[in-house]
Amino acid sequence: MHINIRTFIQQLRQENELIEINAPVDPYLEIPEIHRRVIDEQGPALLFTNVKGSDIPVVTNLFGTIRRVELAFGPKPEALVQQLVDSIDDLMPPSPSKLWGKRGMIKDVLKIGTKTVKPSKAPVMEYYTTDVNMKKLPALTGWHLDSNPFVTLPLVYTEHPGKHEHNLGMYRIEIKEEKKTGIHWQIHKGGGFHHYEAEQMNQKLPVTLFLGGPPALIISAIAPVPEAVPELMFTSMLMGDKLNLTHAPGYPHPLIAEAEFAFGGYVPPHIREPEGPFGDHYGYYSWAHDFPVFEVGHMWKRKDAIYPATVVGKPKQEDYFIGEYLQRLMSPLFPVVMNGVKQLWTYAETGFHALAGAVVRESYYKEGLAHALRIMGEGQLTLTKFLMVTNKDVDLQDFSQLLEAVLERFLPERDLLILNDTSMDTLDYTGRKFNTGSKAIMTGLGEPVRELQRSYEGGTIPGINGVQPYCGGCLCVSGPSFEEEPEFASKLLENAAAQLSGWQLVFLVDDASIAATQSQFLWTAFTRFDPAFDLYAKHEVVRNKLKYSGPIIIDARMKSFYPETVETREDIDELVTSRWNEYF
């Protein structure tokens, strides 16, 4: 497939999937707002050729529809993954006839790897300088409370200081000074692990920041591949060909030959500086916190380099379509890596980590719980805040199907497990403490134990001004804000037992109309509660066991101590509206 973003851009032009905007535009808030409006309409990729303060064009929204993701990679990667999984049984034990039958797949596998090319054959080496000025990049400021411009499609390459195994991750880069940026690698991610090891040895960690290159490189940096799987190999698999690398004399890392930019430097040990705020993919601002810094000393780039960028915010944004593709691609691997897990899905509408669902095997009592715990211990899935599992075959992408399957089988005294005081996704502030919170597992296993209620007929509930079912067994109710009555969920539990008795799961939200769509329901409900703090249920302690009884009430109202939601500033909204015909 595509060896760089240029061949992809050319294909998008041919497919009428790209619009070139020649009107002058500002990377501060204006380009991001144009991008958001276009992606809301499932519109094309955007190439901005006249960017204020820079002579470098900016391309965004490359992957903002299912069709463009499919154009980038085609069906071959998914087919190869499925073939590899199917072959595990077919080739055991191997024999000449079996190997011959898989010769097409083996040929594809042999293409996977890297290839070193001479610097003269590497476009990224066309220009080199140590006089680096990161502020000359047309980096975007996506939201008006962002602390600085941020690089939003960064490909951050590191190597383990002892083993030299590599990691390629997407860790946002805040441009602070000409030769210094913030680097937001989280405690749970590969770059963070490498930095931790380097700090234990009191060493600086060499880091290379790439921009552009094959579209597969961008996908690989996001993909939750197991730690043992090198991202550059994963990139090659997606490409269906070897990945071209080159080497600069005296520089410790290989360079991606087809990248648009490469910035070389290091992250020093034991230095932290404030990074953020930043309007992130949860749809809220992540606050300023101390993070490592990246000292930049080298820049390689194409002479006519293009700057790739994206914009994050409330779902659905570009990362939604990338995440869905990765899940489809990797779904055949889950039963191999986690025996007994038939299907697994994380929900982009919740920022991926706030909610996951799984279909698991249940061949003996509570076997499904063992599989749930296995999921919660696997790679980036350890960041999952709320996990729902069932043994009924459902379409996990339709969350109502999963939730109904669980609630048909759910007994609160048996099927709810809350794990207190755990590490959490850095971007999730519901746990009241940075990087800390709780997790919950809700299981619905075995045969159904009830028919679910689907319409509300319980009458008036004091204090409640809105009631709307989301699906069978799940109800959304709205009433006073958290500021007005912080303990209102507890009052519901005590005073509305009769009205809510037919419902297994009740979400207390600021506006019950969110139940109308999956996207609004998931984003609002699951990004605004912590299980240990915000889940209410009658319970008793039996020896060392908490036994809950229904209904389960979850307080998913906005709290005063949560970060602000991202919103377009009024003057930017008016500016883009007034100039819309100039852009297109």
Side-chain angles (χ1 to χ4, degrees), residues 348-377:
E349 298 96 333
T350 70
F352 294 105
H353 296 316
L355 176 65
V359 177
V360 299
R361 186 179 63 209
E362 175 78 353
S363 59
Y364 58 84
Y365 178 69
K366 299 285 276 193
E367 179 189 4
L369 177 60
H371 298 312
L373 293 169
R374 177 69 176 86
I375 292 167
M376 298 289 265

Side-chain angles (χ1 to χ4, degrees), residues 132-372:
V132 182
N133 186 350
M134 299 294 287
K135 291 192 171 185
K136 288 186 176 180
L137 287 175
L140 306 185
T141 303
W143 302 99
H144 61 273
L145 296 184
D146 287 0
S147 53
N148 273 303
F150 283 78
V151 179
T152 51
L153 279 181
L155 307 171
V156 180
Y157 179 94
T158 59
E159 294 181 354
H160 189 287
K163 302 175 185 177
H164 300 294
E165 298 166 347
H166 79 257
N167 175 260
L168 186 76
M170 189 167 286
Y171 314 117
R172 73 185 188 226
I173 299 291
E174 178 183 0
I175 297 179
K176 295 171 174 283
E177 300 174 12
E178 292 182 356
K179 291 191 173 187
K180 183 169 74 173
T181 78
I183 188 164
H184 186 100
W185 49 37
Q186 300 171 24
I187 58 174
H188 318 80
K189 305 294 179 69
F193 293 146
H194 290 173
H195 185 223
Y196 172 82
E197 294 295 338
E199 283 193 319
Q200 302 312 297
M201 296 182 278
N202 203 33
Q203 294 179 3
K204 61 186 181 183
L205 180 70
V207 171
T208 306
L209 164 64
F210 297 104
L211 298 175
L217 200 68
I218 296 171
I219 300 298
S220 297
I222 302 170
V225 296
E227 285 184 48
V229 177
E231 282 84 2
L232 298 189
M233 297 301 102
F234 190 71
T235 299
S236 174
M237 188 273 291
L238 290 175
M239 292 173 60
D241 204 350
K242 293 191 184 299
L243 176 68
N244 287 345
L245 305 178
T246 193
H247 294 275
Y251 189 69
H253 291 165
L255 300 181
I256 307 297
E258 294 287 340
E260 299 294 312
F261 295 87
F263 298 94
Y266 61 88
V267 173
H270 315 301
I271 292 178
R272 304 290 189 274
E273 292 183 4
E275 189 266 1
F278 176 74
D280 64 44
H281 72 278
Y282 271 69
Y284 305 87
Y285 285 98
S286 52
W287 290 323
H289 297 284
D290 288 343
F291 272 88
V293 298
F294 175 36
E295 303 282 356
V296 187
H298 310 267
M299 181 181 74
W300 298 265
K301 77 177 190 73
R302 292 173 180 256
K303 289 180 179 177
D304 58 347
I306 300 170
Y307 180 86
T310 192
V311 178
V312 293
K314 297 175 186 176
K316 299 177 179 177
Q317 300 297 330
E318 194 172 358
D319 62 313
Y320 176 93
F321 300 98
I322 296 172
E324 290 223 325
Y325 171 75
L326 281 170
Q327 295 196 81
R328 293 198 314 270
L329 178 69
M330 302 185 73
S331 60
L333 296 174
F334 295 135
V336 176
V337 177
M338 296 178 284
N339 187 28
V341 178
K342 298 178 180 179
Q343 299 180 54
L344 180 64
W345 195 258
T346 62
Y347 292 87
E349 298 96 333
T350 70
F352 294 105
H353 296 316
L355 176 65
V359 177
V360 299
R361 186 179 63 209
E362 175 78 353
S363 59
Y364 58 84
Y365 178 69
K366 299 285 276 193
E367 179 189 4
L369 177 60
H371 298 312

